Amino acid sequence: MPTPIKIEFKNACKTFSNGTMVLNDFCLKVRQNESLVILGRSGVGKSVMFKVLLGLVYMNSGNVVAGGISVDDRKRRRQYLSQFSMMFQSGALFDSMTVEQNVSFGLTNRGISNATEIAREKLLAVELDQSAFKLYPSALSGGMQKRVALARAIALKPDIMLFDEPTSGLDPVTGSTITKLIRKTIDKLDLCCITITHDLNVANVIADRVALLDNGQIIWEDKVDALNNSNNPALQHFINPTQRTNASHKK
Amino acid sequence: MNLLANIGARTISMLVEAGKVAIFVSKGVWACCSWPLYMGELLKQMLNAGFFSIPIVGLTAVFSGMVIALQTYVGFAKFSGESAVATVVIVAITRELGPVMAGLMVAGRTSASIAAELGSMKISEQIDALEILGVNPFRFLVAPRILACLICLPLLTLLADVIGVFGGFLVGTTKLGFASRPYMTQTLANLAADDVICGLVKSACFGFTIAVFGCFYGFNSARGAKSVGEATTMAVVAACMGILILNYIVTAMFFGA
Ligand SMILES: Nc1ncnc2c1ncn2[C@@H]1O[C@H](COP(=O)(O)OP(=O)(O)OP(=O)(O)O)[C@@H](O)[C@H]1O
Ligand SMILES: [Mg+2]
């Protein structure tokens, strides 16, 4: 029996004031305890889609509903946002706080008492060295910042998790640890999760379902097993651009 | 025709900007009056805006006091009014120079730093991240800054008053040949509670202006380092203009007829 729908984009349209069209009649449904991976070329609007979902960027038209609440319901904004945790592509760590405070801040703010303990535990889970706990984000490498951001996202126990390129800029070993950690978190908390990535290995581990975003719409979506044997040309091109170019050359 | 259209467009965009500032101010004030108050942030901001401004405010005040004493002496000598130096110094400092100098110095220092800090937080998505963690950015970022400036500027002004008068005293007794005891007696005799209170009211208004413009331009910074630079400039310019305009308004309210 399919679980209820947690997130629904209803014909969302977003064009920036400088004329960049990002979402065009964008429709998407994600069920509870389903993990969706979104693939797409760079600059196609994946990060903007997350921001639209969180109400950080206003849509021109259409609607987004998550957990039965609409994004533009300003009165229930707190409740709406409390369903989410998100890992930003850039990390978005607070540079006035130490690594540990960055992770515990959200917890303290939601009235959780042993915030520091949880923060330490999560930081160890993302394989961050203990010596880095008291450092400020500016003293960390890009990959370390990424891991702190991930720890911050999984420290909260929300209904919906959003990851924007969790493994970009990490070495393969850490990347695979992080991927497994995300999968474990999803399984443990039974939550609804959307991950943006360019990495098909990540998609294979994390995803239940995969969708490809292009031209402001989802142009392909299916179970993760279908990823490698689909004959959708756009998907094939995304997965294996060189092969595709060769084929078209032969033509 | 083109000129008219231009003027119209400018007027509209100015009105829009004013509306945005008004909305921002009302949100900021509401955040200051509502729970939770982030005490740690408030103390940090008070340290930044208040404590670390002491040297620069003190220095400006002492030299202002000195120059006022000197100018008054030279100017008033023309109609044998040299003896009024102590009176002029205390009145000028407590009414105008103390609050305005302190306000302008803190505007340059603090508005700029607030705008730059919040602007870079905005473009690195930290403000978005706050919101998602369930923290109201107005309460966490704007309210502590407004309150800090509101509290610190009157204190800095008191300090500037004392140091400025001391600067006048220094020049008066060492360079202009006044005896120190009569100079002090004259100063105290002309120290009016009204003047000091007016200066403090002014400086509280200045503090509010400084924090509000710093936060406003920081929050509305567009993407990119250049925009943060522009936001910083705008914040300082707007805060200084605001201070000078408010200075007149408050003065008119206290002393105008
Ligand atoms: N605030 C903004 N103002 C104007 N244009 C924007 C803004 N934010 C994003 N864009 C544009 O929207 C498009 C999509 O950006 P987005 O960041 O969503 O890409 P992305 O799919 O996440 O790419 P990547 O994989 O490189 O992260 C880009 O063309 C970008 O220039
Ligand atoms: Mg992106």
Side-chain angles (χ1 to χ4, degrees):
Chain A
M1 194 193 74
T3 48
I5 288 170
K6 191 77 183 171
I7 302 173
E8 185 171 8
F9 282 80
K10 296 175 185 165
N11 308 90
C13 295
K14 174 68 202 174
T15 303
F16 282 105
S17 50
N18 60 8
T20 319
M21 191 267 295
V22 182
L23 298 181
N24 179 20
D25 230 5
F26 180 88
C27 295
L28 179 71
K29 286 177 189 168
V30 192
R31 296 183 177 281
Q32 195 155 356
N33 56 39
E34 177 182 42
S35 168
L36 174 75
V37 163
I38 296 199
L39 304 172
R41 285 178 296 115
S42 181
V44 83
K46 305 181 297 296
S47 301
V48 171
M49 186 209 83
F50 270 4
K51 287 186 189 158
V52 166
L53 171 59
L54 292 165
L56 301 171
V57 163
Y58 291 111
M59 286 171 285
N60 301 105
S61 65
N63 194 12
V64 179
V65 178
I69 307 173
S70 155
V71 229
D72 32 84
D73 190 345
R74 302 309 291 190
K75 289 208 186 90
R76 292 167 78 188
R77 177 110 183 105
R78 261 188 94 84
Q79 198 189 342
Y80 181 84
L81 282 179
S82 69
Q83 308 177 90
F84 292 92
S85 80
M86 163 152 176
M87 175 191 165
F88 286 80
Q89 186 169 4
S90 61
L93 298 178
F94 306 125
D95 39 31
S96 60
M97 300 181 198
T98 63
V99 162
E100 199 177 271
Q101 288 167 343
N102 256 287
V103 181
S104 62
F105 181 61
L107 297 165
T108 323
N109 205 58
R110 292 196 185 173
I112 295 165
S113 52
N114 53 346
T116 318
E117 277 164 49
I118 298 177
R120 292 207 178 121
E121 178 194 317
K122 298 297 173 192
L123 284 167
L124 289 174
V126 294
E127 301 197 325
L128 202 76
D129 200 69
Q130 242 176 6
S131 60
F133 287 11
K134 299 278 179 217
L135 297 179
Y136 284 89
S138 54
L140 302 182
S141 76
M144 287 160 98
Q145 291 185 3
K146 203 109 209 180
R147 281 181 274 158
V148 177
L150 182 74
R152 186 172 72 183
I154 61 175
L156 297 165
K157 292 200 168 72
D159 302 339
I160 303 166
M161 277 196 189
L162 309 173
F163 299 106
D164 197 343
E165 306 197 6
T167 59
S168 68
L170 296 180
D171 64 278
V173 181
T174 321
S176 116
T177 318
I178 297 291
T179 317
K180 282 182 206 142
L181 180 69
I182 293 179
R183 182 74 242 183
K184 216 171 81 190
T185 314
I186 299 170
D187 290 339
K188 198 166 84 188
L189 298 179
D190 241 7
L191 39 72
C192 166
C193 171
I194 308 182
T195 310
I196 291 172
T197 182
H198 299 287
D199 187 342
L200 292 170
N201 296 327
V202 175
N204 276 315
V205 177
I206 297 181
D208 298 328
R209 196 154 63 92
V210 183
L212 180 66
L213 179 66
D214 201 3
N215 265 327
Q217 284 176 335
I218 298 290
I219 55 165
W220 178 88
E221 61 177 315
D222 208 336
K223 292 262 181 297
V224 63
D225 318 320
L227 193 60
N228 294 313
N229 38 32
S230 149
N231 44 19
N232 181 302
L235 183 69
Q236 281 304 323
H237 181 53
F238 183 82
I239 293 175
N240 214 335
T242 44
Q243 197 181 341
R244 160 84 183 180
T245 332
N246 288 345
S248 50
H249 270 304
K250 273 176 205 157
K251 261 186 213 167
Chain B
M1 200 57 218
N2 222 339
L3 185 72
L4 274 182
N6 241 326
I7 294 173
R10 292 252 164 163
T11 316
I12 291 175
S13 73
M14 259 178 71
L15 287 177
V16 169
E17 192 85 351
K20 280 188 193 163
V21 174
I23 294 173
F24 193 90
V25 167
S26 62
K27 278 188 183 172
V29 170
W30 173 243
C32 288
C33 310
S34 58
W35 205 248
L37 179 65
Y38 293 91
M39 230 27 211
E41 279 301 299
L42 177 62
L43 290 179
K44 224 194 282 178
Q45 294 309 323
M46 283 175 67
L47 210 61
N48 270 339
F51 185 72
F52 292 124
S53 299
I54 289 179
I56 192 173
V57 169
L59 209 66
T60 354
V62 80
F63 280 106
S64 305
M66 283 160 73
V67 90
I68 276 286
L70 207 57
Q71 288 282 25
T72 314
Y73 185 81
V74 176
F76 282 25
K78 286 178 189 154
F79 37 92
S80 324
E82 301 99 323
S83 57
V85 167
T87 313
V88 174
V89 167
I90 181 88
V91 172
I93 296 262
T94 48
R95 282 195 189 179
E96 289 297 330
L97 287 175
V100 174
M101 285 291 171
L104 289 177
M105 283 338 258
V106 177
R109 238 188 123 253
T110 307
S111 275
S113 90
I114 291 177
E117 187 182 0
L118 296 191
S120 57
M121 283 186 80
K122 159 97 184 189
I123 63 171
S124 59
E125 298 174 319
Q126 291 176 48
I127 296 184
D128 292 344
L130 273 180
E131 219 179 321
I132 294 168
L133 288 178
V135 179
N136 182 336
F138 272 84
R139 278 195 206 131
F140 187 68
L141 298 174
V142 179
R145 283 168 174 78
I146 291 183
L147 290 174
C149 287
L150 216 53
I151 297 169
C152 287
L153 256 224
L155 295 178
L156 285 171
T157 299
L158 277 184
L159 189 78
D161 287 352
V162 174
I163 295 181
V165 169
F166 173 72
F169 174 78
L170 219 57
V171 170
T173 50
T174 58
K175 199 165 153 46
L176 307 177
F178 291 99
S180 51
R181 192 172 277 273
Y183 187 98
M184 268 337 274
T185 323
Q186 197 186 342
T187 300
L188 290 177
N190 287 289
L191 175 65
D194 269 4
D195 294 350
V196 178
I197 291 171
C198 169
L200 294 184
V201 171
K202 273 182 188 176
S203 62
C205 298
F206 298 166
F208 184 78
T209 316
I210 289 168
V212 161
F213 281 119
C215 293
F216 176 77
Y217 285 106
F219 260 55
N220 286 296
S221 162
R223 307 209 297 181
K226 186 164 167 279
S227 312
V228 176
E230 283 165 8
T232 312
T233 313
M234 285 302 292
V236 175
V237 172
C240 291
M241 299 289 284
I243 285 175
L244 295 177
I245 294 170
L246 277 175
N247 183 39
Y248 179 78
I249 296 176
V250 178
T251 308
M253 269 163 47
F254 267 80
F255 298 106

